[in-house]
């Protein structure tokens, strides 16, 4: 399962925005990750919208792991 941060980043990119720590805050209070605050000039994504990015986020995270491995192999 992909991290919420990855799914939110993909949502932002799909809406021509970039991640900005001053505009979004994620939190986990023990019951799971959620968006604590949102001040972008676009609507905060619904749970369904976030869930729709699961496959793309899984692929992005897998690719990031492969990239990190390759970087260390070429050093």
């Amino acid at each position: 399962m992909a991290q919420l941060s990855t799914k939110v980043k993909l949502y932002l990119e799909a809406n021509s925005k970039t991640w900005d720590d001053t505009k979004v805050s994620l939190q986990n209070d023990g019951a799971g990750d959620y968006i604590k605050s949102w001040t972008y000039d676009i609507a905060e994504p619904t749970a369904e919208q976030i869930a729709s990015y699961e496959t793309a986020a899984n692929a992005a995270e897998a690719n990031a792991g492969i990239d990190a491995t390759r970087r260390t192999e070429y050093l």
Side-chain angles (χ1 to χ4, degrees):
M1 184 166 178
Q3 295 181 26
L4 176 60
S5 60
T6 304
K7 292 184 265 189
V8 170
K9 287 176 186 176
L10 290 171
Y11 172 81
L12 290 168
E13 289 172 6
N15 287 281
S16 302
K17 303 292 180 188
T18 57
W19 181 272
D20 183 342
D21 287 333
T22 65
K23 293 183 178 183
V24 63
S25 175
L26 306 180
Q27 188 166 337
N28 183 323
D29 60 6
D33 297 334
Y34 65 94
I35 298 171
K36 180 179 179 184
S37 65
W38 183 271
T39 59
Y40 282 94
D41 60 353
I42 59 173
E44 181 176 330
T46 64
E48 292 79 20
Q49 288 172 312
I50 289 294
S52 74
Y53 288 95
E54 184 69 33
T55 301
N58 283 331
E61 290 177 0
N63 288 339
I66 291 167
D67 290 347
T69 300
R70 287 183 179 167
R71 271 189 233 104
T72 60
E73 290 174 352
Y74 289 112
L75 293 178

